[in-house]
Amino acid sequence: MSSTSKLEKLGAESIVGNFEWKDVLIPEYAGKGTVKRWYQTRTLTQYVLMAGVGLYAFYEAESPKVRAAGLGLVFPGAGLVGVFTLPSMIAFVISSTMIPLALFAWFGAGGVLFPILLWAGTSGLAALLARDTLLDIAGPLWVATCLGGIAYVTYRTQSANSQARIKRSRRNEYLIESVQQSQAAGEVAEPGSRELDLKTLRFLQWFIELGLTAKDDFSYHDIIDQFQTSAIRYQLYETVSDLGVYQFIYAPNFHGYVSQAMRNVIEKSLTERVVGFWKWESLWGKFNAHNWDPIVKDDIMVSGYVLQAVGIYQSNTGDDRYTRAGSLEFQVTKTQRYKYDFRKIADAVYRNFKECSYCLFSCEPNWIYTMCNLVGISGMVLAERLLGVNYASDIKKNFELGLEKEFTNPDGTILTIRSELTGFTIPGLAGALADGVNAILCAAYLPHIAHRNWAFAKRETLRWKEDGTIEMLNLVGADKIDPGNYKAGIGAIRAIFAAAAAEFGDNAIRDEMLRQLDEDYHPVFETASGALKNTGLSTLEQGTALRARLSGFQDWVQMITQGPPENVKQGPILAEAPFPDVLVAKAYSRDGYGLDLVLYPGKDAGFFQLGFERLQPGKAYELAGKSVIASKGGKAVFEVRVEGRTALSLTPQLVN
């Protein structure tokens, strides 16, 4: 059916996602959260009280040391200016340069200890350096400076909110029509109808190689820091998502090395090198020196991601090994190990969602990232479907309200971050990049918000030029770096927009974004093994690009919310194939009895052994003109020749 015909037949409800068209409109209550305001008010009250005590000491105390220390409570280093000697002013200059570093450590690694130490340290140093007389005018100067700063921030915030409300009205004028057109153009592919081409298989091959490396082999990863977006854990979690998409769409009846790669990645994500960072964040962010459990409280950047990864694996394969008690052991240090399983992690994530006043809960200590919470809620959707719990359904209303009121601007743009401790956000971290990512991450749980985000992201960021290429507009902040390796450039955001376009059925955008990525920004090269990779692109965004190459309209949503159909779950599986000698472009059971295969040689053409399981014991099966009787355990091995594109059908033989 054409998109025009679909538009003519549209009713009041969305074609996909089970929401009404009006739900994509940005509500008036967006950004009007009461929780954030309570914390912001508390923070300002605490500051006023602290500054008031400090000023009282500065004006009323007799001791110069107490006066200097008191002034230091008004602003970090203020007391050093009050002392006004050469050593104190040098110390003030040095401490002032350390303020952004301390704030970055707080933001980047949850280190609330660092700004506290800096502020307290400058106040104490001022007392140490104080002489008999102080610069009295320093008091009113610092009061005026701080009040002016607060007034300026308040003005800018109110002005930004006013502009955002105007932008909301403009967006609401086109959102419904844009979403309707996008959905009418999208086509949900028939299950089992697709196969991978050899070029895409070569991109996939690189991630299978990554997944099959030893537990202590990180040669395929960007190793920079373990606190922010380049952390190894995100590269591992992305690998599971991408391999999962491949398996779900093209080869749900192929387990073999792809399932092994997924298990390896999940288990590597539990090792000390990957989760050991939580020891440090617990120390300097939670002041916790004894219990470094990464699951029990906060840290959704581990618990939520592992939940989703395990859920994808179990949903695709039916393998419930990670539901066994203690099957997931997080090694934070050599002696600090914490045993969990799929259900126990789901319980912890659910408890955190219920207990946090924002509903969304922290990643880094005291910092709530929306993206991590959206990943975690997809994990909850999987857990609900696979474990029979109602966790995702139970918190849905509170989660949606929390996201809309506390973590969304009045114009509908979802914020990247908010401080749980203070209630304040960090403006300008990312724009279009966050819009593209959030559109994908919301799709399985809050589809109306997902389609809303994609509608304004593509309208306001992408412009088709007369020569048939796309120009990206209005990029800010992190939009201009690769979040997986922090290298400057606008290539990585094209991978993100390609992946979003694929999920929402905008294939022309996907194809052009991938073309620009592969030809203009990160040219493709062939590795020694024959795999394909983009030059200079991080492992994280290499995975995002792979997802764009693999997926189509609603594929991610289908994988998270529904999983493989019954015919796939009942049908034979290709359990063994040599890697990289045999690459699997398709493995799908249409009827639950036979199996359609499309194979390519990974190196040279030749004869290779293929092992099959989940066959009917004692029944004869035919493949490539050969017949084998399945064992009592439902297994059989065939030797077949793979040369070029090799299409095969495993079929049970009829009894005469």
Side-chain angles (χ1 to χ4, degrees):
M1 184 184 294
S2 69
S3 59
T4 302
S5 299
K6 284 185 177 179
L7 277 171
E8 292 173 350
K9 294 185 177 182
L10 290 179
E13 292 187 354
S14 166
I15 298 172
V16 295
N18 298 321
F19 60 87
E20 296 183 1
W21 296 118
K22 63 181 178 62
D23 294 334
V24 304
L25 297 176
I26 304 161
E28 291 189 5
Y29 58 74
K32 293 184 177 180
T34 56
V35 177
K36 66 176 182 179
R37 293 197 182 280
W38 188 90
Y39 280 101
Q40 290 168 356
T41 302
R42 186 187 72 169
T43 300
L44 290 173
T45 301
Q46 290 171 335
Y47 170 72
V48 169
L49 290 174
M50 182 178 71
V53 170
L55 289 171
Y56 180 83
F58 180 72
Y59 285 111
E60 299 296 330
E62 295 183 2
S63 168
K65 294 184 179 297
V66 174
R67 293 184 65 207
L71 185 59
L73 297 180
V74 176
F75 190 83
L80 295 170
V81 175
V83 174
F84 205 66
T85 62
L86 181 60
S88 75
M89 294 309 296
I90 292 174
F92 172 72
V93 171
I94 294 173
S95 65
S96 296
T97 62
M98 293 175 66
I99 290 175
L101 296 177
L103 292 176
F104 182 77
W106 180 24
F107 148 70
V112 68
L113 176 66
F114 299 109
I116 291 175
L117 285 178
L118 179 62
W119 202 327
T122 55
S123 184
L125 184 60
L128 184 66
L129 296 176
R131 297 296 181 261
D132 291 339
T133 58
L134 300 180
L135 184 66
D136 289 336
I137 199 174
L141 284 176
W142 275 111
V143 170
T145 299
C146 292
L147 288 177
I150 293 172
Y152 175 74
V153 170
T154 301
Y155 166 75
R156 288 296 301 269
T157 300
Q158 291 177 345
S159 177
N161 286 339
S162 177
Q163 292 298 314
R165 286 189 288 271
I166 296 172
K167 193 173 186 179
R168 175 179 65 205
S169 298
R170 291 173 180 169
R171 284 177 168 177
N172 280 342
E173 290 176 358
Y174 67 76
L175 278 176
I176 291 178
E177 182 180 1
S178 178
V179 172
Q180 287 177 338
Q181 290 175 345
S182 180
Q183 289 195 12
E187 292 286 347
V188 177
E190 180 185 349
S193 64
R194 290 175 282 179
E195 66 177 74
L196 278 184
D197 59 83
L198 182 57
K199 182 178 179 180
T200 308
L201 273 172
R202 292 300 188 183
F203 282 106
L204 174 70
Q205 178 183 337
W206 192 84
F207 275 92
I208 293 173
E209 291 173 4
L210 182 158
L212 295 178
T213 55
K215 188 172 284 190
D216 60 350
D217 183 349
F218 294 90
S219 58
Y220 281 73
H221 296 276
D222 296 296
I223 310 296
I224 302 174
D225 73 274
Q226 300 312 312
F227 301 104
Q228 277 297 310
T229 52
S230 75
I232 296 170
R233 62 184 178 277
Y234 296 124
Q235 301 167 46
L236 294 171
Y237 304 139
E238 180 64 32
T239 299
V240 176
S241 294
D242 302 329
L243 295 181
V245 166
Y246 154 71
Q247 189 178 49
F248 173 73
I249 299 171
Y250 301 96
N253 291 90
F254 171 45
H255 291 191
Y257 56 73
V258 68
S259 292
Q260 182 64 59
M262 293 169 73
R263 291 194 299 272
N264 287 358
V265 167
I266 289 170
E267 290 161 21
K268 185 179 284 189
S269 77
L270 311 177
T271 61
E272 182 179 0
R273 186 163 186 183
V274 179
V275 296
F277 76 96
W278 192 243
K279 170 185 69 175
W280 300 109
E281 295 205 4
S282 296
L283 286 169
W284 61 48
K286 291 175 169 288
F287 310 113
N288 187 337
H290 57 87
N291 183 2
W292 301 326
D293 187 330
I295 304 298
V296 66
K297 180 66 176 174
D298 295 341
D299 199 13
I300 195 172
M301 59 187 172
V302 170
S303 60
Y305 280 83
V306 170
L307 191 70
Q308 177 180 275
V310 171
I312 289 172
Y313 172 78
Q314 183 169 326
S315 176
N316 279 5
T317 65
D319 181 357
D320 63 355
R321 69 180 62 203
Y322 297 120
T323 63
R324 301 170 193 162
S327 55
L328 296 165
E329 183 177 66
F330 295 83
Q331 182 180 349
V332 179
T333 69
K334 288 180 174 56
T335 58
Q336 294 272 17
R337 297 169 180 259
Y338 303 90
K339 291 187 177 183
Y340 279 87
D341 55 66
F342 188 28
R343 181 179 290 274
K344 195 174 177 182
I345 294 174
D347 292 342
V349 173
Y350 175 64
R351 185 182 64 252
N352 274 276
F353 278 132
K354 293 285 283 185
E355 291 178 353
C356 186
S357 54
Y358 294 93
C359 190
L360 286 71
F361 66 93
S362 293
C363 299
E364 318 282 355
N366 309 309
W367 288 104
I368 302 173
Y369 286 78
T370 51
M371 293 179 190
C372 294
N373 278 268
L374 291 172
V375 170
I377 205 65
S378 290
M380 295 287 276
V381 172
L382 285 157
E384 181 162 311
R385 180 162 62 80
L386 297 168
L387 300 176
V389 296
N390 70 334
Y391 294 166
S393 299
D394 183 57
I395 65 169
K396 190 168 188 176
K397 182 178 180 181
N398 287 341
F399 187 95
E400 181 178 350
L401 287 175
L403 181 66
E404 293 270 57
K405 291 184 175 182
E406 312 293 348
F407 295 89
T408 300
N409 283 327
D411 63 6
T413 302
I414 297 175
L415 294 171
T416 303
I417 190 174
R418 186 173 296 285
S419 167
E420 180 184 27
L421 191 65
T422 68
F424 292 104
T425 186
I426 302 176
L429 279 182
L433 181 148
D435 294 337
V437 173
N438 288 329
I440 299 173
L441 297 181
C442 282
Y445 190 63
L446 298 170
H448 56 294
I449 296 178
H451 286 267
R452 172 203 302 166
N453 271 256
W454 177 239
F456 66 64
K458 67 179 181 179
R459 184 184 181 98
E460 297 170 10
T461 307
L462 306 178
R463 182 170 69 88
W464 285 97
K465 299 166 66 176
E466 291 184 359
D467 61 1
T469 62
I470 291 177
E471 180 182 9
M472 298 196 79
L473 311 170
N474 306 317
L475 302 183
V476 300
D479 298 344
K480 300 178 183 180
I481 66 169
D482 184 332
N485 59 20
Y486 309 139
K487 292 181 180 178
I490 53 175
I493 193 172
R494 283 162 166 80
I496 292 168
F497 264 64
E503 180 62 27
F504 291 94
D506 288 306
N507 293 337
I509 295 175
R510 176 199 62 193
D511 294 345
E512 173 59 12
M513 290 288 96
L514 286 175
R515 185 201 66 76
Q516 292 185 18
L517 179 75
D518 293 346
E519 297 178 10
D520 301 338
Y521 293 95
H522 297 280
V524 177
F525 71 96
E526 184 176 316
T527 70
S529 68
L532 294 180
K533 193 175 186 292
N534 293 88
T535 304
L537 191 64
S538 68
T539 296
L540 179 66
E541 295 311 325
Q542 188 77 35
T544 305
L546 176 61
R547 197 187 306 192
R549 302 179 202 279
L550 293 170
S551 59
F553 186 51
Q554 291 289 288
D555 281 337
W556 177 260
V557 170
Q558 295 285 328
M559 183 179 71
I560 299 297
T561 62
Q562 295 187 24
E566 286 303 314
N567 50 288
V568 164
K569 296 176 183 179
Q570 295 172 3
I573 58 173
L574 174 60
E576 294 181 18
F579 179 82
D581 301 297
V582 176
L583 303 178
V584 182
K586 181 179 181 179
Y588 194 88
S589 176
R590 292 181 177 274
D591 57 8
Y593 298 100
L595 181 60
D596 294 336
L597 294 171
V598 177
L599 311 175
Y600 285 88
K603 295 179 180 177
D604 300 322
F607 286 91
F608 305 100
Q609 285 193 342
L610 304 179
F612 296 89
E613 295 180 2
R614 210 157 65 190
L615 307 177
Q616 296 182 48
K619 192 171 187 63
Y621 284 81
E622 184 178 345
L623 181 70
K626 300 177 182 179
S627 179
V628 173
I629 297 176
S631 70
K632 292 181 180 180
K635 299 180 180 181
V637 176
F638 288 84
E639 186 173 68
V640 301
R641 179 169 177 79
V642 180
E643 182 175 8
R645 178 185 178 276
T646 304
L648 302 168
S649 291
L650 177 73
T651 57
Q653 292 183 309
L654 297 175
V655 178
N656 292 328

